[in-house]
Amino acid sequence: MATPSVHTLLNGYLMPTDQGNPAFCAVYLIESDDGRIVFDCGHVGRRKALLAALCERGLSPGDIDTVVVSHGHWDHLQNVDLFQRVVMHPHELRYLKAPSRRDLGTPPWTSAVLEGLDVREASEGEQLASGVRVVELPGHTPGSIGLAVDTDEGTALLTGDAVPAAGVLLAGEPLGRAFDSARARASIERVAELADVVHPGHDKSFRVTRAERSR
């Protein structure tokens, strides 16, 4: 049986401006003997780029077995309608039904994007494919999740915005306003403990060093 592999479909970027944030999240493809998983899918402003990235690999949305959405913020969720089977954490799905009015990343219409799709819940440790399991990374949002993938390079951890950029792991502090700061810090520490390679939400992938583990 082949080892699962992780590929970047779209690079992630941190691009704040005085007119708002374009919020370009990273989009990843996991390929294994059990099929293909897309992790996060970006917003509609990157829809053309996402379709082109899939096409470059000879793929279309119909070739993807599952899309895992790390959390319900608009920049990670909006293209989910391109796919059919969607996986999210139950806490996140519950929150999307009545998000806080102060949560600018989760408008009240967010749950409507999921209507008509095959939405399934997944929690800590659930195997989505051989060598691919769900890791709970709450704090940025109530039900943020990542994926741990057993690759030839060790454990690759796809983090969403639990670790949006390498600097967050180095500092041990969440970026921006977290839903729960204490849990967000704990999730950052968990990434440092578990990951050999981190595929973050808004940055290039990087390897975790011994110094980061012992911080």
Side-chain angles (χ1 to χ4, degrees):
M1 182 175 293
T3 305
S5 57
V6 180
H7 311 279
T8 301
L9 289 176
L10 296 179
N11 287 316
Y13 302 94
L14 289 173
M15 299 174 61
T17 75
D18 62 1
Q19 295 298 306
N21 191 342
F24 288 167
C25 82
V27 181
Y28 301 104
L29 171 69
I30 301 167
E31 293 186 301
S32 73
D33 289 342
D34 298 323
R36 300 183 182 92
I37 298 170
V38 163
F39 183 82
D40 283 337
C41 52
H43 59 67
V44 294
R46 300 193 87 188
R47 183 169 295 215
K48 182 177 179 180
L50 175 55
L51 292 172
L54 288 169
C55 185
E56 286 176 4
R57 293 183 172 273
L59 303 173
S60 70
D63 296 309
I64 304 304
D65 299 286
T66 304
V67 58
V68 176
V69 179
S70 64
H71 63 290
H73 284 171
W74 64 277
D75 55 316
H76 293 253
L77 177 78
Q78 283 186 350
N79 285 325
V80 74
D81 63 296
L82 291 172
F83 308 94
Q84 278 302 309
R85 185 183 181 192
V86 183
V87 169
M88 295 183 71
H89 194 277
H91 292 347
E92 197 75 359
L93 290 169
R94 190 177 308 119
Y95 177 72
L96 294 186
K97 294 178 180 178
S100 168
R101 291 286 181 177
R102 297 189 299 274
D103 184 350
L104 300 182
T106 315
W109 46 258
T110 301
S111 62
V113 178
L114 300 171
E115 291 179 2
L117 303 177
D118 178 10
V119 181
R120 304 187 183 189
E121 298 179 352
S123 302
E124 176 70 28
E126 182 165 341
Q127 294 279 335
L128 300 185
S130 179
V132 182
R133 68 186 185 279
V134 174
V135 176
E136 293 180 353
L137 299 172
H140 181 66
T141 65
S144 287
I145 56 174
L147 289 181
V149 184
D150 298 329
T151 72
D152 290 333
E153 295 183 306
T155 299
L157 198 54
L158 288 65
T159 66
D161 284 357
V163 175
V168 170
L169 191 71
L170 288 169
E173 290 291 330
L175 189 66
R177 181 181 297 177
F179 182 84
D180 185 322
S181 295
R183 298 184 80 188
R185 292 188 193 97
S187 290
I188 294 168
E189 292 297 330
R190 190 172 191 210
V191 171
E193 292 169 1
L194 292 177
D196 295 304
V197 177
V198 172
H199 298 283
H202 291 271
D203 201 356
K204 293 181 179 179
S205 303
F206 60 92
R207 179 167 287 279
V208 179
T209 68
R210 182 174 300 175
E212 280 135 16
R213 292 189 192 281
S214 62
R215 174 176 46 77

